[in-house]
Amino acid sequence: MAMDPAWNQGTEQEQPSYLWAMLTSPLNINLFLATLAGSTFLAIPYGSPGVVLPLLAFAAGEAIAAMFIPASSTFRAKVDRKLKLKRREAAAMHLRGEIARRCTEHDARWEVYRNLQERVRSLREMGSHRRSALGERELDRIEDTAIDFLGLWLAELSMEERQDSVNERDIERRIADIGARIERGAEDERSLRKARGDLEELLLRHRRLASRKAAVEAALLSLPDAVEEIYQAIITNSSAAEGGARLTEAIERLRLEEELESSYGAEIQNIVRPEAAAARARSAARQGAAS
């Protein structure tokens, strides 16, 4: 079973309470209100027993329901989906805000994102109103692609920022300068070696970032294309064999973001603050010069 996307993995305290979901469901609340109305109505001819008995019957029914409904896989799936939709919308709002801070509203990828959303909505509607080759799990995965696209887009923008902020020639010059100081026998050799190691690691990660960025750019192109392929296979009513193979291949391509996350996620985190390594290098260089 595929792991939930990062935006749908809440803390232990954020996990849903299925009992509370049952108690606060619209149906349960309406039953309680109906019970109160019945108690009020029965209180006129029967007095206190007319008030208490319906409430006792409701409480007994709640106790019995609480033993079975929260443990029902169908009920849990419904609660989980409701929570996922809420988290998905929150994640989308956050990603759109971060992207809007980095690029203009005229960027062509906004239109790609809107078209992707439209295709996803159409596939969900087709799956709801008529028989489809897509199961619920596949439809749910396809609905996640809009968030995947935003996540990849933001990752690409972040990588571009890191590439622009790091000057390879300057880092190479600093490494050479520190190396020269070490060869001259500076007193604080240990700090200088540590600074040189930090800069060399920064330079290596910066160079690796180019290949990571290329993979993200490829996924940004491939993701909408995979959804479009699924959409065309559904609306053209391909034969079972041909359509099944096309759908399987296209859905597998939707896992690009999941595979890429483990690849480029650590790299982004590790170079988020390259200034720290540069600062240590400058400090060590100053100490070496003073000696």
Side-chain angles (χ1 to χ4, degrees):
M1 182 179 295
M3 182 181 296
D4 282 340
W7 52 263
N8 194 38
Q9 296 176 7
T11 64
E12 185 175 348
Q13 291 75 17
E14 294 173 335
Q15 296 308 310
S17 169
Y18 299 106
L19 176 60
W20 180 251
M22 184 203 80
L23 294 175
T24 57
S25 65
L27 176 60
N28 199 58
I29 292 174
N30 289 334
L31 286 174
F32 177 67
L33 294 175
T35 301
L36 285 179
S39 296
T40 303
F41 180 77
L42 293 175
I44 298 174
Y46 298 109
S48 297
V51 175
V52 174
L53 288 177
L55 293 176
L56 288 176
F58 177 80
E62 288 290 281
I64 295 172
M67 297 172 61
F68 300 99
I69 293 179
S72 167
S73 59
T74 302
F75 179 78
R76 290 192 169 214
K78 184 177 179 180
V79 173
D80 290 343
R81 173 158 178 78
K82 184 176 180 180
L83 179 60
K84 182 176 182 178
L85 291 176
K86 182 179 178 181
R87 288 174 173 171
R88 181 189 286 156
E89 181 57 30
M93 289 182 62
H94 172 73
L95 290 170
R96 287 196 299 264
E98 290 295 314
I99 292 170
R101 291 196 303 108
R102 292 170 168 84
C103 67
T104 68
E105 61 181 10
H106 302 295
D107 193 300
R109 282 173 293 190
W110 286 119
E111 185 63 26
V112 176
Y113 172 64
R114 285 189 286 268
N115 291 337
L116 179 61
Q117 285 184 305
E118 182 60 32
R119 288 292 187 253
V120 169
R121 280 194 293 267
S122 297
L123 286 168
R124 167 57 70 177
E125 290 175 2
M126 284 189 286
S128 301
H129 297 130
R130 64 183 178 87
R131 288 192 63 184
S132 170
L134 296 173
E136 183 62 31
R137 181 178 297 179
E138 286 78 15
L139 284 171
D140 195 53
R141 179 67 190 90
I142 290 171
E143 286 181 323
D144 290 344
T145 57
I147 300 294
D148 295 341
F149 182 84
L150 291 175
L152 288 166
W153 186 0
L154 180 59
E156 183 196 36
L157 294 173
S158 299
M159 290 176 179
E160 288 177 352
E161 289 179 351
R162 299 326 310 164
Q163 286 181 324
D164 292 340
S165 67
V166 176
N167 187 320
E168 287 193 15
R169 290 186 177 180
D170 182 60
I171 295 175
E172 290 171 348
R173 182 184 59 79
R174 291 178 182 276
I175 292 173
D177 182 60
I178 292 174
R181 293 180 184 277
I182 293 174
E183 290 178 0
R184 288 200 298 265
E187 282 187 19
D188 199 1
E189 182 177 337
R190 182 176 180 182
S191 296
L192 288 172
R193 291 188 182 277
K194 177 66 168 60
R196 184 174 64 178
D198 289 342
L199 287 175
E200 288 173 344
E201 184 179 1
L202 172 61
L203 186 61
L204 180 61
R205 286 176 179 147
H206 184 259
R207 288 170 176 170
R208 285 177 178 171
L209 191 61
S211 61
R212 302 287 188 255
K213 185 170 178 286
V216 170
E217 290 172 343
L220 273 171
L221 295 173
S222 178
L223 198 63
D225 183 65
V227 174
E228 182 66 26
E229 187 174 347
I230 292 171
Y231 180 78
Q232 295 297 331
I234 293 296
I235 64 174
T236 55
N237 293 318
S238 301
S239 65
E242 179 189 355
R246 289 178 62 192
L247 288 174
T248 300
E249 180 182 354
I251 290 172
E252 284 300 319
R253 289 166 61 193
L254 297 181
R255 306 187 189 281
L256 283 170
E257 190 272 341
E258 297 173 0
E259 297 171 358
L260 281 168
E261 183 177 359
S262 61
S263 175
Y264 67 71
E267 291 295 333
I268 292 176
Q269 291 179 353
N270 288 333
I271 67 168
V272 162
R273 296 182 179 86
E275 297 84 0
R280 287 195 295 269
R282 287 193 296 269
S283 176
R286 285 195 296 269
Q287 292 176 7
S291 63

